[in-house]
PDB file of all heavy atoms in Angstrom:
ATOM      1  N   SER A   1       0.806  -1.209   0.000  1.00  0.00           N
ATOM      2  CA  SER A   1       0.000   0.000   0.000  1.00  0.00           C
ATOM      3  C   SER A   1       0.843   1.265   0.000  1.00  0.00           C
ATOM      4  O   SER A   1       0.333   2.336  -0.351  1.00  0.00           O
ATOM      5  CB  SER A   1      -0.946   0.017   1.199  1.00  0.00           C
ATOM      6  OG  SER A   1      -0.221   0.048   2.416  1.00  0.00           O
ATOM      7  N   ARG A   2       2.110   1.156   0.358  1.00  0.00           N
ATOM      8  CA  ARG A   2       2.995   2.307   0.381  1.00  0.00           C
ATOM      9  C   ARG A   2       3.890   2.413  -0.856  1.00  0.00           C
ATOM     10  O   ARG A   2       4.655   3.362  -0.975  1.00  0.00           O
ATOM     11  CB  ARG A   2       3.869   2.282   1.643  1.00  0.00           C
ATOM     12  CG  ARG A   2       3.056   2.422   2.931  1.00  0.00           C
ATOM     13  CD  ARG A   2       3.943   2.747   4.118  1.00  0.00           C
ATOM     14  NE  ARG A   2       4.743   1.603   4.543  1.00  0.00           N
ATOM     15  CZ  ARG A   2       4.346   0.702   5.430  1.00  0.00           C
ATOM     16  NH1 ARG A   2       3.146   0.799   5.997  1.00  0.00           N
ATOM     17  NH2 ARG A   2       5.149  -0.295   5.766  1.00  0.00           N
ATOM     18  N   TYR A   3       3.794   1.459  -1.770  1.00  0.00           N
ATOM     19  CA  TYR A   3       4.612   1.483  -2.979  1.00  0.00           C
ATOM     20  C   TYR A   3       4.024   2.404  -4.028  1.00  0.00           C
ATOM     21  O   TYR A   3       2.806   2.537  -4.150  1.00  0.00           O
ATOM     22  CB  TYR A   3       4.724   0.092  -3.594  1.00  0.00           C
ATOM     23  CG  TYR A   3       5.387  -0.962  -2.757  1.00  0.00           C
ATOM     24  CD1 TYR A   3       5.132  -2.308  -3.008  1.00  0.00           C
ATOM     25  CD2 TYR A   3       6.264  -0.643  -1.742  1.00  0.00           C
ATOM     26  CE1 TYR A   3       5.735  -3.297  -2.267  1.00  0.00           C
ATOM     27  CE2 TYR A   3       6.872  -1.631  -0.983  1.00  0.00           C
ATOM     28  CZ  TYR A   3       6.604  -2.956  -1.257  1.00  0.00           C
ATOM     29  OH  TYR A   3       7.211  -3.937  -0.512  1.00  0.00           O
ATOM     30  N   ARG A   4       4.902   3.013  -4.816  1.00  0.00           N
ATOM     31  CA  ARG A   4       4.499   3.677  -6.039  1.00  0.00           C
ATOM     32  C   ARG A   4       4.616   2.671  -7.176  1.00  0.00           C
ATOM     33  O   ARG A   4       5.702   2.146  -7.436  1.00  0.00           O
ATOM     34  CB  ARG A   4       5.375   4.896  -6.312  1.00  0.00           C
ATOM     35  CG  ARG A   4       4.903   5.704  -7.513  1.00  0.00           C
ATOM     36  CD  ARG A   4       5.734   6.958  -7.728  1.00  0.00           C
ATOM     37  NE  ARG A   4       7.057   6.638  -8.222  1.00  0.00           N
ATOM     38  CZ  ARG A   4       7.950   7.551  -8.594  1.00  0.00           C
ATOM     39  NH1 ARG A   4       7.652   8.847  -8.500  1.00  0.00           N
ATOM     40  NH2 ARG A   4       9.136   7.171  -9.030  1.00  0.00           N
ATOM     41  N   MET A   5       3.505   2.387  -7.829  1.00  0.00           N
ATOM     42  CA  MET A   5       3.445   1.379  -8.871  1.00  0.00           C
ATOM     43  C   MET A   5       3.419   2.038 -10.240  1.00  0.00           C
ATOM     44  O   MET A   5       2.834   3.108 -10.418  1.00  0.00           O
ATOM     45  CB  MET A   5       2.201   0.502  -8.716  1.00  0.00           C
ATOM     46  CG  MET A   5       2.039  -0.133  -7.348  1.00  0.00           C
ATOM     47  SD  MET A   5       3.358  -1.312  -6.967  1.00  0.00           S
ATOM     48  CE  MET A   5       3.135  -2.507  -8.292  1.00  0.00           C
ATOM     49  N   GLY A   6       4.023   1.376 -11.195  1.00  0.00           N
ATOM     50  CA  GLY A   6       4.022   1.905 -12.547  1.00  0.00           C
ATOM     51  C   GLY A   6       3.996   0.805 -13.585  1.00  0.00           C
ATOM     52  O   GLY A   6       4.287  -0.365 -13.301  1.00  0.00           O
ATOM     53  N   TRP A   7       3.619   1.188 -14.786  1.00  0.00           N
ATOM     54  CA  TRP A   7       3.708   0.336 -15.963  1.00  0.00           C
ATOM     55  C   TRP A   7       4.578   1.040 -16.989  1.00  0.00           C
ATOM     56  O   TRP A   7       4.359   2.220 -17.297  1.00  0.00           O
ATOM     57  CB  TRP A   7       2.338   0.031 -16.558  1.00  0.00           C
ATOM     58  CG  TRP A   7       1.517  -0.920 -15.746  1.00  0.00           C
ATOM     59  CD1 TRP A   7       0.560  -0.620 -14.836  1.00  0.00           C
ATOM     60  CD2 TRP A   7       1.596  -2.350 -15.798  1.00  0.00           C
ATOM     61  NE1 TRP A   7       0.027  -1.768 -14.300  1.00  0.00           N
ATOM     62  CE2 TRP A   7       0.642  -2.843 -14.877  1.00  0.00           C
ATOM     63  CE3 TRP A   7       2.357  -3.250 -16.524  1.00  0.00           C
ATOM     64  CZ2 TRP A   7       0.443  -4.208 -14.666  1.00  0.00           C
ATOM     65  CZ3 TRP A   7       2.159  -4.610 -16.310  1.00  0.00           C
ATOM     66  CH2 TRP A   7       1.213  -5.067 -15.393  1.00  0.00           C
ATOM     67  N   TYR A   8       5.560   0.318 -17.488  1.00  0.00           N
ATOM     68  CA  TYR A   8       6.420   0.776 -18.569  1.00  0.00           C
ATOM     69  C   TYR A   8       6.241  -0.148 -19.763  1.00  0.00           C
ATOM     70  O   TYR A   8       5.725  -1.262 -19.630  1.00  0.00           O
ATOM     71  CB  TYR A   8       7.889   0.760 -18.146  1.00  0.00           C
ATOM     72  CG  TYR A   8       8.292   1.824 -17.144  1.00  0.00           C
ATOM     73  CD1 TYR A   8       7.862   1.768 -15.829  1.00  0.00           C
ATOM     74  CD2 TYR A   8       9.140   2.862 -17.514  1.00  0.00           C
ATOM     75  CE1 TYR A   8       8.249   2.731 -14.911  1.00  0.00           C
ATOM     76  CE2 TYR A   8       9.538   3.827 -16.604  1.00  0.00           C
ATOM     77  CZ  TYR A   8       9.085   3.751 -15.306  1.00  0.00           C
ATOM     78  OH  TYR A   8       9.479   4.704 -14.393  1.00  0.00           O
ATOM     79  N   ARG A   9       6.680   0.310 -20.914  1.00  0.00           N
ATOM     80  CA  ARG A   9       6.682  -0.550 -22.084  1.00  0.00           C
ATOM     81  C   ARG A   9       7.927  -0.293 -22.914  1.00  0.00           C
ATOM     82  O   ARG A   9       8.504   0.791 -22.879  1.00  0.00           O
ATOM     83  CB  ARG A   9       5.426  -0.358 -22.937  1.00  0.00           C
ATOM     84  CG  ARG A   9       5.306   0.992 -23.624  1.00  0.00           C
ATOM     85  CD  ARG A   9       3.959   1.113 -24.322  1.00  0.00           C
ATOM     86  NE  ARG A   9       3.807   2.382 -25.012  1.00  0.00           N
ATOM     87  CZ  ARG A   9       2.677   2.803 -25.556  1.00  0.00           C
ATOM     88  NH1 ARG A   9       1.580   2.044 -25.488  1.00  0.00           N
ATOM     89  NH2 ARG A   9       2.628   3.973 -26.177  1.00  0.00           N
ATOM     90  N   GLN A  10       8.329  -1.312 -23.652  1.00  0.00           N
ATOM     91  CA  GLN A  10       9.481  -1.205 -24.522  1.00  0.00           C
ATOM     92  C   GLN A  10       9.192  -1.927 -25.828  1.00  0.00           C
ATOM     93  O   GLN A  10       8.941  -3.129 -25.839  1.00  0.00           O
ATOM     94  CB  GLN A  10      10.734  -1.790 -23.865  1.00  0.00           C
ATOM     95  CG  GLN A  10      11.998  -1.543 -24.658  1.00  0.00           C
ATOM     96  CD  GLN A  10      13.239  -1.834 -23.853  1.00  0.00           C
ATOM     97  OE1 GLN A  10      13.212  -2.600 -22.894  1.00  0.00           O
ATOM     98  NE2 GLN A  10      14.346  -1.216 -24.226  1.00  0.00           N
ATOM     99  N   ALA A  11       9.214  -1.172 -26.908  1.00  0.00           N
ATOM    100  CA  ALA A  11       9.047  -1.718 -28.238  1.00  0.00           C
ATOM    101  C   ALA A  11      10.420  -1.975 -28.848  1.00  0.00           C
ATOM    102  O   ALA A  11      11.410  -1.359 -28.444  1.00  0.00           O
ATOM    103  CB  ALA A  11       8.241  -0.760 -29.115  1.00  0.00           C
ATOM    104  N   PRO A  12      10.508  -2.868 -29.833  1.00  0.00           N
ATOM    105  CA  PRO A  12      11.806  -3.153 -30.460  1.00  0.00           C
ATOM    106  C   PRO A  12      12.470  -1.895 -30.990  1.00  0.00           C
ATOM    107  O   PRO A  12      11.840  -1.080 -31.675  1.00  0.00           O
ATOM    108  CB  PRO A  12      11.449  -4.107 -31.595  1.00  0.00           C
ATOM    109  CG  PRO A  12      10.196  -4.778 -31.136  1.00  0.00           C
ATOM    110  CD  PRO A  12       9.439  -3.721 -30.385  1.00  0.00           C
ATOM    111  N   GLY A  13      13.738  -1.718 -30.652  1.00  0.00           N
ATOM    112  CA  GLY A  13      14.495  -0.579 -31.120  1.00  0.00           C
ATOM    113  C   GLY A  13      14.213   0.722 -30.411  1.00  0.00           C
ATOM    114  O   GLY A  13      14.750   1.761 -30.820  1.00  0.00           O
ATOM    115  N   LYS A  14      13.399   0.702 -29.372  1.00  0.00           N
ATOM    116  CA  LYS A  14      13.042   1.915 -28.657  1.00  0.00           C
ATOM    117  C   LYS A  14      13.431   1.814 -27.192  1.00  0.00           C
ATOM    118  O   LYS A  14      13.610   0.725 -26.653  1.00  0.00           O
ATOM    119  CB  LYS A  14      11.542   2.192 -28.771  1.00  0.00           C
ATOM    120  CG  LYS A  14      11.057   2.475 -30.186  1.00  0.00           C
ATOM    121  CD  LYS A  14       9.587   2.833 -30.190  1.00  0.00           C
ATOM    122  CE  LYS A  14       9.100   3.156 -31.587  1.00  0.00           C
ATOM    123  NZ  LYS A  14       7.649   3.501 -31.589  1.00  0.00           N
ATOM    124  N   GLN A  15      13.559   2.967 -26.562  1.00  0.00           N
ATOM    125  CA  GLN A  15      13.814   3.021 -25.133  1.00  0.00           C
ATOM    126  C   GLN A  15      12.567   2.641 -24.348  1.00  0.00           C
ATOM    127  O   GLN A  15      11.439   2.824 -24.812  1.00  0.00           O
ATOM    128  CB  GLN A  15      14.263   4.432 -24.730  1.00  0.00           C
ATOM    129  CG  GLN A  15      15.605   4.850 -25.299  1.00  0.00           C
ATOM    130  CD  GLN A  15      16.739   4.113 -24.650  1.00  0.00           C
ATOM    131  OE1 GLN A  15      16.809   4.001 -23.421  1.00  0.00           O
ATOM    132  NE2 GLN A  15      17.646   3.597 -25.461  1.00  0.00           N
ATOM    133  N   ARG A  16      12.781   2.096 -23.165  1.00  0.00           N
ATOM    134  CA  ARG A  16      11.664   1.823 -22.283  1.00  0.00           C
ATOM    135  C   ARG A  16      11.034   3.148 -21.845  1.00  0.00           C
ATOM    136  O   ARG A  16      11.736   4.091 -21.471  1.00  0.00           O
ATOM    137  CB  ARG A  16      12.144   1.031 -21.069  1.00  0.00           C
ATOM    138  CG  ARG A  16      11.023   0.544 -20.170  1.00  0.00           C
ATOM    139  CD  ARG A  16      11.542  -0.386 -19.078  1.00  0.00           C
ATOM    140  NE  ARG A  16      12.130  -1.591 -19.644  1.00  0.00           N
ATOM    141  CZ  ARG A  16      12.548  -2.629 -18.923  1.00  0.00           C
ATOM    142  NH1 ARG A  16      12.420  -2.605 -17.596  1.00  0.00           N
ATOM    143  NH2 ARG A  16      13.083  -3.671 -19.525  1.00  0.00           N
ATOM    144  N   GLU A  17       9.715   3.214 -21.904  1.00  0.00           N
ATOM    145  CA  GLU A  17       9.017   4.444 -21.576  1.00  0.00           C
ATOM    146  C   GLU A  17       7.968   4.203 -20.508  1.00  0.00           C
ATOM    147  O   GLU A  17       7.349   3.138 -20.447  1.00  0.00           O
ATOM    148  CB  GLU A  17       8.359   5.057 -22.823  1.00  0.00           C
ATOM    149  CG  GLU A  17       7.268   4.205 -23.438  1.00  0.00           C
ATOM    150  CD  GLU A  17       6.529   4.902 -24.567  1.00  0.00           C
ATOM    151  OE1 GLU A  17       6.580   6.149 -24.644  1.00  0.00           O
ATOM    152  OE2 GLU A  17       5.894   4.193 -25.381  1.00  0.00           O
ATOM    153  N   LEU A  18       7.767   5.213 -19.692  1.00  0.00           N
ATOM    154  CA  LEU A  18       6.730   5.165 -18.673  1.00  0.00           C
ATOM    155  C   LEU A  18       5.373   5.346 -19.327  1.00  0.00           C
ATOM    156  O   LEU A  18       5.147   6.314 -20.052  1.00  0.00           O
ATOM    157  CB  LEU A  18       6.966   6.254 -17.631  1.00  0.00           C
ATOM    158  CG  LEU A  18       5.902   6.412 -16.548  1.00  0.00           C
ATOM    159  CD1 LEU A  18       5.810   5.157 -15.689  1.00  0.00           C
ATOM    160  CD2 LEU A  18       6.198   7.640 -15.690  1.00  0.00           C
ATOM    161  N   VAL A  19       4.465   4.423 -19.047  1.00  0.00           N
ATOM    162  CA  VAL A  19       3.115   4.468 -19.580  1.00  0.00           C
ATOM    163  C   VAL A  19       2.146   5.066 -18.576  1.00  0.00           C
ATOM    164  O   VAL A  19       1.342   5.939 -18.914  1.00  0.00           O
ATOM    165  CB  VAL A  19       2.646   3.062 -19.996  1.00  0.00           C
ATOM    166  CG1 VAL A  19       1.191   3.083 -20.452  1.00  0.00           C
ATOM    167  CG2 VAL A  19       3.542   2.511 -21.097  1.00  0.00           C
ATOM    168  N   ALA A  20       2.195   4.586 -17.347  1.00  0.00           N
ATOM    169  CA  ALA A  20       1.274   5.037 -16.310  1.00  0.00           C
ATOM    170  C   ALA A  20       1.884   4.784 -14.946  1.00  0.00           C
ATOM    171  O   ALA A  20       2.704   3.879 -14.779  1.00  0.00           O
ATOM    172  CB  ALA A  20      -0.078   4.330 -16.420  1.00  0.00           C
ATOM    173  N   ARG A  21       1.461   5.569 -13.983  1.00  0.00           N
ATOM    174  CA  ARG A  21       1.971   5.445 -12.624  1.00  0.00           C
ATOM    175  C   ARG A  21       0.859   5.782 -11.645  1.00  0.00           C
ATOM    176  O   ARG A  21       0.024   6.653 -11.918  1.00  0.00           O
ATOM    177  CB  ARG A  21       3.169   6.387 -12.433  1.00  0.00           C
ATOM    178  CG  ARG A  21       3.802   6.374 -11.067  1.00  0.00           C
ATOM    179  CD  ARG A  21       5.019   7.287 -11.058  1.00  0.00           C
ATOM    180  NE  ARG A  21       6.184   6.658 -11.661  1.00  0.00           N
ATOM    181  CZ  ARG A  21       7.218   7.315 -12.176  1.00  0.00           C
ATOM    182  NH1 ARG A  21       7.222   8.645 -12.191  1.00  0.00           N
ATOM    183  NH2 ARG A  21       8.239   6.650 -12.683  1.00  0.00           N
ATOM    184  N   ILE A  22       0.858   5.102 -10.501  1.00  0.00           N
ATOM    185  CA  ILE A  22      -0.101   5.397  -9.448  1.00  0.00           C
ATOM    186  C   ILE A  22       0.638   5.405  -8.120  1.00  0.00           C
ATOM    187  O   ILE A  22       1.402   4.498  -7.806  1.00  0.00           O
ATOM    188  CB  ILE A  22      -1.282   4.398  -9.446  1.00  0.00           C
ATOM    189  CG1 ILE A  22      -2.333   4.805  -8.411  1.00  0.00           C
ATOM    190  CG2 ILE A  22      -0.810   2.965  -9.242  1.00  0.00           C
ATOM    191  CD1 ILE A  22      -3.650   4.057  -8.568  1.00  0.00           C
ATOM    192  N   THR A  23       0.420   6.442  -7.329  1.00  0.00           N
ATOM    193  CA  THR A  23       1.085   6.591  -6.055  1.00  0.00           C
ATOM    194  C   THR A  23       0.310   5.868  -4.965  1.00  0.00           C
ATOM    195  O   THR A  23      -0.798   5.372  -5.171  1.00  0.00           O
ATOM    196  CB  THR A  23       1.231   8.065  -5.680  1.00  0.00           C
ATOM    197  OG1 THR A  23      -0.062   8.609  -5.400  1.00  0.00           O
ATOM    198  CG2 THR A  23       1.881   8.854  -6.810  1.00  0.00           C
ATOM    199  N   SER A  24       0.914   5.823  -3.786  1.00  0.00           N
ATOM    200  CA  SER A  24       0.235   5.214  -2.649  1.00  0.00           C
ATOM    201  C   SER A  24      -1.048   5.947  -2.303  1.00  0.00           C
ATOM    202  O   SER A  24      -1.978   5.342  -1.760  1.00  0.00           O
ATOM    203  CB  SER A  24       1.164   5.181  -1.437  1.00  0.00           C
ATOM    204  OG  SER A  24       1.559   6.492  -1.058  1.00  0.00           O
ATOM    205  N   GLY A  25      -1.105   7.230  -2.605  1.00  0.00           N
ATOM    206  CA  GLY A  25      -2.294   8.014  -2.341  1.00  0.00           C
ATOM    207  C   GLY A  25      -3.328   7.988  -3.446  1.00  0.00           C
ATOM    208  O   GLY A  25      -4.386   8.609  -3.305  1.00  0.00           O
ATOM    209  N   GLY A  26      -3.033   7.281  -4.544  1.00  0.00           N
ATOM    210  CA  GLY A  26      -3.995   7.141  -5.614  1.00  0.00           C
ATOM    211  C   GLY A  26      -3.857   8.145  -6.739  1.00  0.00           C
ATOM    212  O   GLY A  26      -4.650   8.106  -7.690  1.00  0.00           O
ATOM    213  N   SER A  27      -2.877   9.035  -6.668  1.00  0.00           N
ATOM    214  CA  SER A  27      -2.653   9.957  -7.770  1.00  0.00           C
ATOM    215  C   SER A  27      -2.103   9.202  -8.972  1.00  0.00           C
ATOM    216  O   SER A  27      -1.290   8.292  -8.818  1.00  0.00           O
ATOM    217  CB  SER A  27      -1.684  11.059  -7.363  1.00  0.00           C
ATOM    218  OG  SER A  27      -2.214  11.841  -6.318  1.00  0.00           O
ATOM    219  N   THR A  28      -2.524   9.582 -10.160  1.00  0.00           N
ATOM    220  CA  THR A  28      -2.136   8.872 -11.371  1.00  0.00           C
ATOM    221  C   THR A  28      -1.450   9.790 -12.356  1.00  0.00           C
ATOM    222  O   THR A  28      -1.655  11.010 -12.361  1.00  0.00           O
ATOM    223  CB  THR A  28      -3.348   8.223 -12.056  1.00  0.00           C
ATOM    224  OG1 THR A  28      -4.325   9.230 -12.350  1.00  0.00           O
ATOM    225  CG2 THR A  28      -3.960   7.162 -11.158  1.00  0.00           C
TER     226      THR A  28
END
């Protein structure tokens, strides 16, 4: 419940990018 969670993605030949993030307080 105290972790900041995120989803990243990486396509071939590209850098990994942040897609979405949610904080412990629910901010997105």
Side-chain angles (χ1 to χ4, degrees):
S1 63
R2 296 194 287 271
Y3 298 158
R4 186 177 72 175
M5 306 295 299
W7 288 96
Y8 289 70
R9 67 186 181 189
Q10 187 167 24
K14 296 184 178 180
Q15 294 289 313
R16 187 173 297 187
E17 64 173 340
L18 175 63
V19 175
R21 180 177 281 157
I22 185 167
T23 69
S24 60
S27 297
T28 57

